[in-house]
Amino acid sequence: MIQNLYEDEEVERLDRDALKALQLLRLKKTITTALITPFYKERLMAVGIQSAEDIRTLEDIRKIPYTTKDDLREAYPYGLLAVDRDEIVRMHASSGTTGTPTVIYHTQKDLDNWTNMTVRSLKATGCHKGDVFQNMMTYGLFTGGIGLHYGAEKLGMLVIPASSGNTRRQFQLMKDFQTSTIHATPSYMLHLYSRMEEMGYSLSDFNLKRALIGAEPHSEEIRQKIEELFHIDAYNSYGLSEMNGPSVAFECTEKKGMHIWEDAYLVETIDRNSLEPVEDGVEGELVLTILIRTGTPILRYRTKDLTTVIPEACSCGRTSRRITRIKGRTDDMLIINGVNVFPSQIEEVIMKMPEIGTNYLIKVSKKGTLDQLTIQTEVGGDMFTDNAQDLHDLRRRIVEELQATITIKALVELHEPGFLPVQQGKAIRVIDERNVY
Amino acid sequence: MIQNLYEDEEVERLDRDALKALQLLRLKKTITTALITPFYKERLMAVGIQSAEDIRTLEDIRKIPYTTKDDLREAYPYGLLAVDRDEIVRMHASSGTTGTPTVIYHTQKDLDNWTNMTVRSLKATGCHKGDVFQNMMTYGLFTGGIGLHYGAEKLGMLVIPASSGNTRRQFQLMKDFQTSTIHATPSYMLHLYSRMEEMGYSLSDFNLKRALIGAEPHSEEIRQKIEELFHIDAYNSYGLSEMNGPSVAFECTEKKGMHIWEDAYLVETIDRNSLEPVEDGVEGELVLTILIRTGTPILRYRTKDLTTVIPEACSCGRTSRRITRIKGRTDDMLIINGVNVFPSQIEEVIMKMPEIGTNYLIKVSKKGTLDQLTIQTEVGGDMFTDNAQDLHDLRRRIVEELQATITIKALVELHEPGFLPVQQGKAIRVIDERNVY
């Protein structure tokens, strides 16, 4: 089998033609697997795909309808299972608090493949055997914690399975074991910093080299803030449970976009209105097909995440294309008085202001018939001042910068540090108080 | 190497002489490992043990001083590390909320050995490939969750990494995936039952076959209550992070004591006053030496747990000796007006009363110069009555039964269901309000 001919490092550097040949082979295998499931059997038959033989080129994938989150809900719990139940050794499920849950099944081989992708991702950021890896992502049904855990162990890092929360203990572990690598949400990294001094620690207590941040969209400014505050490298990452979890795409040490592991994930980007494919270099909704899983095949999954495929090759030598940081989910887009606004655009502006701390909140409410956008921020510890004129000037600058970016005049509130609720897991940064949106 | 000559199932059935030979081999290897650590090098040299050659029989282990929790704290963080730091792929640490934490390091081989023990334990309870395993123990630094997770996956069970809490979701998962096996604390099992009806579920929604209960001492009556409420088998288990975690000892389907895996753990029981060894069949403090770990060797660890080694062979055919359920930790013992009382004795009495629900609380306070023991209980849902005479009679019966067992006259409070705080993780059943104890 050609897919076994390559070592991981070779796969990462395959020329595009060889990579495409490998993708096609794996796609055919995935189609065969998908046809076993009740859900895809019906879907694929309906468009005339009766076997893998009906897929002759990678472009033939366009014959297949997109799969959505709603499809996964409809197929719950067994409509997408492609192997005997006895072959499943793990499942991950979404919480289902907002409706029917979704579920992904993994065979042992699926887990091994996933682990290989996480090892590859960790290596891309410079992690190696002996590094101390403190995993501050939640362990359990959420894939963020346990996913990278397996890879880090396989790579031979010293894994501290800290899980999320308990900031005081996180600091103690970071100090006592001289943690080099943290895995956390960007919000939690900022939270850590904001509590460091008060809990009696300073940067010199630690041996931090890098943070792997993910699980929530964030701006380049947030990344830079984390790097500056901790004097470390922060690497952006991307994953979603439908595509296993963390390690769908990961930044390399160049930090210029995230390599999407194309031997494992077939990438498309589509216009979110016409749903037609867009060219590399053009922003669109990311659509993914997983090529390395037999438990639950998923074809052409609409991730709702907006990104741009970077057409240029990366100077690191990896040939897998990169995607730009996720701008936001199409679901996240706010329509404010008819204007499309992404929370990430607002974050970008306020995080450029050195006076502003690491926590903020975006509120949208109704004021009569109009929408009102309010941004609550905290002025950073050292910068906080009682000088009314300074505060007035700062507020005015933010309002102007925001208006220049999103065309909307927002109400900006400046508060003392600690005013806003602490964000620990996936941060909630947007509160939409309107009835319809 | 003789230790590689046996398959797991053979090891479980070795005759005692062969088992002892295997233990001696592994003990010598462990002594060699221990002599690498700063902590044991000093300890062992001080009693004239300079190499594994100074251990000629299993009884020679008595030359070595006991290791205590305080020793582990003193050796924190690296005093007990026996390999290059680069060889460590996982650490587990106690929370350290009550003082310096303790830490255990694992190499990849150590984790593999631990996983083998968990596979063996799961098999002993009848678990097999294809069983649906819902793991309700906390994942993270606590070894309870992740420990059995690895074994269940290796055995080929379908693992649902639910972690603890979120009772509503636990029920949904149990129903949707027809969970056969639950891993939880006994308190959480009782909590689950108490919420089942109100959350809209009944036993017929589920496919439960067994619960693996552990992580807190509990009485035989609690086990039987769990079995009767859910119509399942409940298997007792024993483990502690110093000895890896879960799967030090596990019940087989005979349910007559827990097989302690003697090829992995060298067992002693000692008198807790004289610290001299006691015979099999006599209650004492369990002292363990781990024979299957190189990251952190621990010799003659005083577990503080009280148990009795059962001398008779088990009818299941496994030759590893069994221990009786943990009566309590020596630390847990309450001295009430000069009388030694174990919370487990109180639990036994109240759980024998069918009128009493699943939750209870033991309070010890000062009343003048005397100690006052108060037991708060909930009268079970169906049995709750406003008939003052019935309640009076029930209360009197409990007081009498308690006095017959622990010789102390307790104050017994009967409350309506839901009065007491809900116990989810390791239950807190004892509140000692005295200043000194």
Side-chain angles (χ1 to χ4, degrees):
Chain A
M1 302 285 281
I2 190 167
Q3 49 269 64
N4 297 327
L5 284 180
Y6 301 111
E7 293 292 322
D8 247 72
E9 295 203 355
E10 289 173 311
V11 168
E12 291 178 56
R13 284 161 178 81
L14 280 182
D15 68 57
R16 297 294 305 172
D17 285 344
L19 180 62
K20 282 185 177 175
L22 179 59
Q23 285 183 316
L24 183 59
L25 259 174
R26 289 186 177 171
L27 176 60
K28 283 167 172 269
K29 202 169 156 187
T30 301
I31 296 292
T32 304
T33 306
L35 280 164
I36 298 169
T37 69
F39 177 85
Y40 278 119
K41 185 169 185 182
E42 193 184 323
R43 279 260 167 129
L44 293 174
M45 292 297 211
V47 295
I49 298 173
Q50 304 196 331
S51 82
E53 295 312 303
D54 295 318
I55 300 288
R56 286 162 209 278
T57 69
L58 286 176
E59 286 65 37
D60 283 345
I61 199 175
R62 294 192 188 162
K63 296 179 192 168
I64 302 170
Y66 297 118
T67 302
T68 64
K69 186 91 171 173
D70 280 342
D71 291 329
L72 301 188
R73 290 203 179 103
E74 190 196 306
Y76 181 87
Y78 294 116
L80 278 164
L81 179 65
V83 298
D84 279 353
R85 286 191 206 177
D86 278 11
E87 296 307 312
I88 300 299
V89 299
R90 174 106 62 84
M91 53 148 279
H92 282 281
S94 67
S95 69
T97 44
T98 57
T100 311
T102 59
V103 59
I104 304 294
Y105 301 100
H106 303 268
T107 66
Q108 185 58 58
K109 179 69 183 161
D110 293 343
L111 291 184
D112 292 345
N113 286 342
W114 178 15
T115 297
N116 283 346
M117 293 302 135
T118 61
V119 170
R120 192 192 286 183
S121 300
L122 291 163
K123 278 184 178 172
T125 66
C127 290
H128 52 75
K129 181 179 161 81
D131 261 322
V132 181
F133 177 76
Q134 191 164 333
N135 194 354
M136 302 184 185
M137 290 285 192
T138 306
Y139 279 65
L141 283 172
F142 170 61
T143 55
I146 213 165
L148 236 54
H149 171 99
Y150 271 58
E153 242 173 49
K154 186 166 181 199
L155 180 55
M157 300 173 88
L158 194 173
V159 178
I160 307 179
S163 200
S164 53
N166 202 339
T167 303
R168 192 175 294 279
R169 188 177 62 180
Q170 302 284 11
F171 281 127
Q172 185 175 16
L173 293 165
M174 284 162 66
K175 180 180 178 185
D176 291 352
F177 301 99
Q178 292 291 288
T179 298
S180 69
T181 309
I182 288 177
H183 180 213
T185 60
S187 317
Y188 195 65
M189 287 304 297
L190 295 174
H191 173 68
L192 271 183
Y193 190 83
S194 73
R195 304 298 300 280
M196 187 170 69
E197 199 175 302
E198 136 202 11
M199 288 188 171
Y201 294 92
S202 70
L203 283 186
S204 61
D205 290 320
F206 308 129
N207 185 34
L208 282 185
K209 297 199 168 12
R210 64 184 78 83
L212 315 180
I213 53 178
E216 62 187 28
H218 60 281
S219 59
E220 179 61 28
E221 285 69 22
I222 285 280
R223 181 241 290 276
Q224 284 174 11
K225 195 145 203 164
I226 292 168
E227 294 193 323
E228 284 160 17
L229 292 174
F230 287 99
H231 304 154
I232 57 174
D233 288 301
Y235 295 101
N236 194 4
S237 66
Y238 176 69
L240 61 168
S241 62
E242 294 84 351
M243 296 289 127
N244 283 350
S247 297
V248 171
F250 235 92
E251 281 191 327
C252 67
T253 49
E254 298 292 322
K255 290 195 277 191
K256 288 179 180 154
M258 301 178 280
H259 287 279
I260 192 157
W261 306 123
E262 292 189 79
D263 57 313
Y265 302 97
L266 200 61
V267 183
E268 300 172 86
T269 32
I270 63 172
D271 181 279
R272 63 196 151 95
N273 295 313
S274 71
L275 305 188
E276 289 298 316
V278 300
E279 296 292 309
D280 284 4
V282 177
E283 182 179 278
E285 180 182 336
L286 187 64
V287 171
L288 293 172
T289 298
I290 182 163
L291 303 173
I292 54 161
R293 190 170 65 204
T294 57
T296 308
I298 297 186
L299 309 172
R300 303 195 90 198
Y301 185 65
R302 287 189 58 187
T303 65
K304 304 268 182 184
D305 292 318
L306 291 178
T307 188
T308 304
V309 173
I310 301 171
E312 294 80 23
C314 182
S315 49
C316 76
R318 289 176 184 83
T319 51
S320 269
R321 285 175 301 173
R322 290 161 296 158
I323 54 174
T324 60
R325 65 176 52 255
I326 304 300
K327 181 177 176 180
R329 297 174 60 84
T330 54
D331 290 351
D332 293 340
M333 192 182 73
L334 297 164
I335 303 179
I336 300 175
N337 295 326
V339 178
N340 295 352
V341 175
F342 283 95
S344 58
Q345 296 175 297
I346 298 172
E347 179 177 294
E348 247 178 76
V349 169
I350 57 183
M351 285 299 138
K352 270 185 200 149
M353 308 278 173
E355 299 92 338
I356 297 298
T358 54
N359 205 350
Y360 69 93
L361 204 57
I362 298 167
K363 284 192 179 179
V364 193
S365 54
K366 274 283 179 198
K367 195 175 168 187
T369 56
L370 286 179
D371 298 327
Q372 171 66 53
L373 173 66
T374 305
I375 318 290
Q376 297 184 320
T377 65
E378 293 175 359
V379 179
D382 291 347
M383 315 297 280
F384 196 71
T385 167
D386 284 338
N387 186 319
Q389 188 59 45
D390 288 354
L391 290 174
H392 178 78
D393 289 348
L394 175 58
R395 189 186 296 112
R396 190 170 44 82
R397 266 195 297 137
I398 299 175
V399 172
E400 285 170 5
E401 288 274 353
L402 275 173
Q403 198 161 11
T405 307
I406 60 172
T407 77
I408 288 174
K409 186 161 181 181
L411 199 67
V412 171
E413 298 177 7
L414 304 178
H415 296 279
E416 72 275 24
F419 173 84
L420 293 170
V422 166
Q423 306 282 1
Q424 293 218 359
K426 286 200 182 199
I428 295 164
R429 299 273 190 211
V430 179
I431 297 178
D432 195 332
E433 294 170 335
R434 299 170 295 181
N435 284 329
V436 286
Y437 51 104
Chain B
M1 300 284 281
I2 190 166
Q3 49 269 64
N4 297 326
L5 284 178
Y6 301 111
E7 292 293 321
D8 247 73
E9 296 203 354
E10 289 173 314
V11 168
E12 292 178 57
R13 284 160 178 81
L14 280 182
D15 69 55
R16 297 293 306 171
D17 285 344
L19 179 64
K20 282 184 177 175
L22 179 59
Q23 285 183 314
L24 183 59
L25 259 173
R26 290 187 178 170
L27 175 61
K28 283 166 171 270
K29 202 169 154 185
T30 300
I31 296 292
T32 304
T33 306
L35 280 164
I36 299 169
T37 70
F39 176 85
Y40 279 119
K41 186 170 184 181
E42 191 183 327
R43 279 261 167 127
L44 293 174
M45 293 294 212
V47 295
I49 299 173
Q50 303 195 333
S51 82
E53 295 312 303
D54 295 317
I55 299 288
R56 288 164 208 278
T57 69
L58 287 175
E59 286 66 36
D60 283 345
I61 199 174
R62 295 192 188 160
K63 296 179 192 168
I64 303 171
Y66 297 118
T67 302
T68 64
K69 185 92 172 173
D70 280 343
D71 291 330
L72 301 189
R73 290 203 179 102
E74 190 197 306
Y76 180 89
Y78 295 117
L80 277 162
L81 180 64
V83 297
D84 279 353
R85 286 191 207 177
D86 278 9
E87 296 306 313
I88 299 299
V89 299
R90 174 105 63 85
M91 53 148 281
H92 283 281
S94 67
S95 69
T97 44
T98 56
T100 312
T102 59
V103 58
I104 304 294
Y105 301 100
H106 303 268
T107 66
Q108 185 58 57
K109 179 70 183 160
D110 293 343
L111 291 184
D112 293 344
N113 286 342
W114 179 15
T115 297
N116 282 346
M117 294 302 137
T118 62
V119 170
R120 191 192 285 184
S121 299
L122 291 164
K123 278 185 178 171
T125 67
C127 289
H128 52 75
K129 181 181 160 78
D131 261 322
V132 180
F133 178 76
Q134 192 164 332
N135 194 355
M136 301 184 187
M137 290 286 194
T138 305
Y139 279 66
L141 283 171
F142 170 61
T143 55
I146 213 164
L148 237 54
H149 171 100
Y150 271 58
E153 244 174 45
K154 185 167 182 198
L155 180 54
M157 299 174 89
L158 194 173
V159 178
I160 306 178
S163 199
S164 54
N166 202 339
T167 303
R168 193 174 292 279
R169 188 176 64 180
Q170 302 283 9
F171 281 128
Q172 184 175 17
L173 294 165
M174 284 163 67
K175 180 180 178 186
D176 292 351
F177 300 99
Q178 292 292 288
T179 298
S180 69
T181 309
I182 289 176
H183 181 214
T185 60
S187 317
Y188 194 66
M189 287 304 295
L190 295 174
H191 173 68
L192 269 184
Y193 190 84
S194 73
R195 304 296 302 279
M196 186 170 68
E197 201 176 299
E198 135 203 11
M199 289 189 172
Y201 294 91
S202 71
L203 283 185
S204 60
D205 290 321
F206 308 130
N207 185 34
L208 282 185
K209 296 199 167 16
R210 65 185 76 83
L212 315 180
I213 53 179
E216 61 188 28
H218 59 281
S219 60
E220 179 62 26
E221 285 70 21
I222 284 280
R223 181 240 290 274
Q224 284 174 10
K225 195 146 203 164
I226 291 169
E227 295 193 322
E228 284 160 17
L229 292 174
F230 287 99
H231 304 153
I232 57 173
D233 288 301
Y235 295 101
N236 193 4
S237 66
Y238 176 68
L240 61 167
S241 62
E242 295 84 351
M243 296 289 128
N244 284 348
S247 297
V248 171
F250 235 92
E251 281 190 327
C252 65
T253 50
E254 299 291 322
K255 291 194 277 192
K256 287 178 181 155
M258 300 178 280
H259 287 278
I260 192 156
W261 306 124
E262 291 188 79
D263 57 313
Y265 302 97
L266 200 63
V267 183
E268 299 173 87
T269 33
I270 63 172
D271 182 279
R272 64 195 151 94
N273 296 312
S274 70
L275 304 189
E276 289 298 316
V278 300
E279 296 292 306
D280 283 3
V282 177
E283 183 180 277
E285 180 182 336
L286 187 64
V287 171
L288 293 172
T289 298
I290 183 164
L291 304 173
I292 54 162
R293 191 171 63 204
T294 57
T296 308
I298 297 186
L299 309 172
R300 302 194 91 198
Y301 185 66
R302 286 189 59 188
T303 65
K304 304 269 182 183
D305 292 317
L306 292 177
T307 187
T308 306
V309 174
I310 301 170
E312 295 81 21
C314 183
S315 49
C316 75
R318 289 176 184 82
T319 51
S320 267
R321 284 174 304 174
R322 290 161 296 159
I323 55 174
T324 60
R325 67 176 52 256
I326 303 302
K327 184 178 175 178
R329 297 175 61 83
T330 54
D331 289 350
D332 294 338
M333 193 181 72
L334 298 162
I335 303 178
I336 300 174
N337 295 326
V339 179
N340 295 352
V341 176
F342 283 95
S344 58
Q345 296 176 297
I346 297 171
E347 179 178 293
E348 246 175 77
V349 169
I350 56 183
M351 285 298 138
K352 268 186 200 149
M353 307 278 173
E355 299 92 337
I356 298 298
T358 54
N359 206 350
Y360 70 92
L361 204 57
I362 297 168
K363 286 192 176 178
V364 194
S365 53
K366 273 284 180 201
K367 195 176 170 186
T369 56
L370 287 179
D371 298 326
Q372 171 66 53
L373 173 66
T374 304
I375 318 290
Q376 296 184 319
T377 65
E378 293 175 1
V379 179
D382 291 347
M383 315 296 279
F384 196 71
T385 167
D386 284 338
N387 187 320
Q389 188 59 44
D390 288 353
L391 291 173
H392 178 78
D393 288 349
L394 175 59
R395 188 185 299 109
R396 190 167 45 80
R397 267 195 296 138
I398 300 175
V399 172
E400 286 170 5
E401 288 274 353
L402 276 173
Q403 198 160 11
T405 308
I406 60 173
T407 77
I408 287 174
K409 186 160 179 180
L411 199 64
V412 172
E413 298 177 7
L414 304 178
H415 296 279
E416 71 276 22
F419 174 84
L420 293 169
V422 167
Q423 306 281 359
Q424 293 219 359
K426 285 200 183 201
I428 296 162
R429 300 272 191 211
V430 180
I431 296 177
D432 195 331
E433 295 170 336
R434 301 169 296 181
N435 285 328
V436 287
Y437 51 105

